[in-house]
Amino acid sequence: MSFENLSATWVDEPLTDPGVAADAVDLMVSLGDRRRGTFTVLICDPHNRYLATVAIELPATFSLEPSPAQLCETALHPFIPAAHTAPGTALVLALGRPGPARMTDLDAQWAHAAATICGAAGIRLLGFYVATKDGIYQPALTESAAA
């Protein structure tokens, strides 16, 4: 997946297609964001088209403490009331992080937390992605993350 695959009119396309969404994440989460560790929110309209991006820098210890669920909740907290003021708003979320391409347990914990928080808040989550120097992928939820 690469932002170079995006068409010139990608902002007019819904981010419900995982390939387009992954390419949009690749565009919005810079290599610097991935090196530092960021939580990126792509905000979409009721038709699932891209509107804006907000990147939140994570603490250097984000993979250790506090838990991914606590950090995800803190990062999403201001978006919940904002999304409720614009009914139909949808989100694409991305964890930009250093390290190996896949940290299965950590990535799955973040994905599970994001899905749980958005679901409880009634916000449509179009996808959760992990962005590393090696590329973009969607983590699978594992039983340890779901617990």
Side-chain angles (χ1 to χ4, degrees):
M1 315 262 165
S2 168
F3 68 87
E4 294 173 349
N5 296 331
L6 290 170
S7 72
T9 60
W10 74 270
V11 293
D12 297 323
E13 299 173 32
L15 294 184
T16 51
D17 178 307
V20 175
D23 291 341
V25 166
D26 188 47
L27 177 65
M28 297 301 165
V29 184
S30 72
L31 288 175
D33 292 340
R34 299 170 200 199
R35 232 182 347 266
R36 285 188 309 277
T38 59
F39 185 68
T40 302
V41 180
L42 281 69
I43 303 167
C44 299
D45 70 12
H47 302 287
N48 306 320
R49 294 179 301 228
Y50 172 79
L51 289 173
T53 299
V54 177
I56 302 160
E57 192 162 337
L58 296 172
T61 59
F62 80 92
S63 64
L64 305 172
E65 289 184 22
S67 74
Q70 290 169 315
L71 272 175
C72 188
E73 184 175 12
T74 300
L76 281 174
H77 181 73
F79 291 97
I80 294 170
H84 289 163
T85 64
T89 296
L91 304 177
V92 173
L93 303 174
L95 172 64
R97 62 161 179 76
R102 296 181 194 265
M103 293 175 68
T104 307
D105 191 49
L106 174 72
D107 297 341
Q109 287 179 47
W110 273 90
H112 178 73
T116 300
I117 293 163
C118 287
I123 297 171
R124 292 181 308 116
L125 178 61
L126 300 180
F128 183 89
Y129 297 83
V130 174
T132 70
K133 65 178 176 46
D134 299 313
I136 309 298
Y137 88 100
Q138 279 189 288
L141 291 177
T142 63
E143 286 189 30
S144 63

